[in-house]
Amino acid sequence: MIIAQHTIKANLSAKQLWQQLINVGEWRHWDDAIEFAELEEPVGVESIGVIKHKNHELTSFMIIEYDHLRKLVEIRKSYFGKFKLHKELSKCKDGMIAFTQKIEILDAQSVIFSPFISQTLKNSLAQSAINLINYCADRDLSHKHMKYELEDAVRRAYCFSLKSGSFID
């Protein structure tokens, strides 16, 4: 039973978003609810990790589906029960990328808590998606800015070498 779902469109490449989705250690930079997250193995099916949400205990997770640049599905176990978290990317007709997150209940214990956590999770999914898009966009801008600064520095050094009569090898 799916209890929370959120989709947001972004004018970024699937690769930009995917790089952040599979970089588990960076999740805390765009998901305000996460204190830290680690993955024991390279990202792929059966990769196991731990995640610490703020004000909650350490939670284990395992990646159960992995489709490069498209889908990452994990199972999380917590004191609320067992959940399946879907993270999916798809291309829209307008060329933008849709990022969808879904949370699915997997056990009876979770059903008991579902009315309580459903709205909280919906808000959390929406905020983390917005943060992810902004984080990727900011990183993209800073990389472009660094590239232009480097090109400018090389150009200035070359011009200086021409004026002084020496060449840079």
Side-chain angles (χ1 to χ4, degrees), residues 99-124:
F99 171 51
T100 301
Q101 295 183 94
K102 293 185 262 189
I103 297 181
E104 186 178 344
I105 293 175
L106 296 178
D107 61 1
Q109 177 185 349
S110 303
V111 172
I112 295 167
F113 291 107
S114 66
F116 168 71
I117 60 175
S118 180
Q119 190 57 46
T120 304
L121 289 174
K122 285 178 187 174
N123 294 340
S124 176

Side-chain angles (χ1 to χ4, degrees), residues 3-5 18 22 24 33 36 47 53 63 88 93-94 114 120 141-144 163:
I3 61 166
Q5 180 171 332
W18 190 256
I22 63 171
V24 175
F36 76 87
S47 295
H53 287 91
I63 296 172
E88 301 172 10
K93 291 179 183 178
D94 60 5
S114 66
T120 304
L141 287 175
S142 69
H143 287 305
K144 286 179 182 173
K163 287 179 186 175

Side-chain angles (χ1 to χ4, degrees), residues 1 5 8 19 23 26 32 44 48 79 90-91 93 101 110 112 121 130 137 139 143 154 158 166 169:
M1 175 169 106
Q5 180 171 332
I8 188 170
Q19 284 303 111
N23 191 349
E26 296 287 313
D32 296 334
I48 297 172
Y79 61 86
S90 57
K91 192 158 187 137
K93 291 179 183 178
Q101 295 183 94
S110 303
I112 295 167
L121 289 174
I130 291 166
R139 287 180 57 90
H143 287 305
V154 169
Y158 180 71
S166 64
D169 293 327

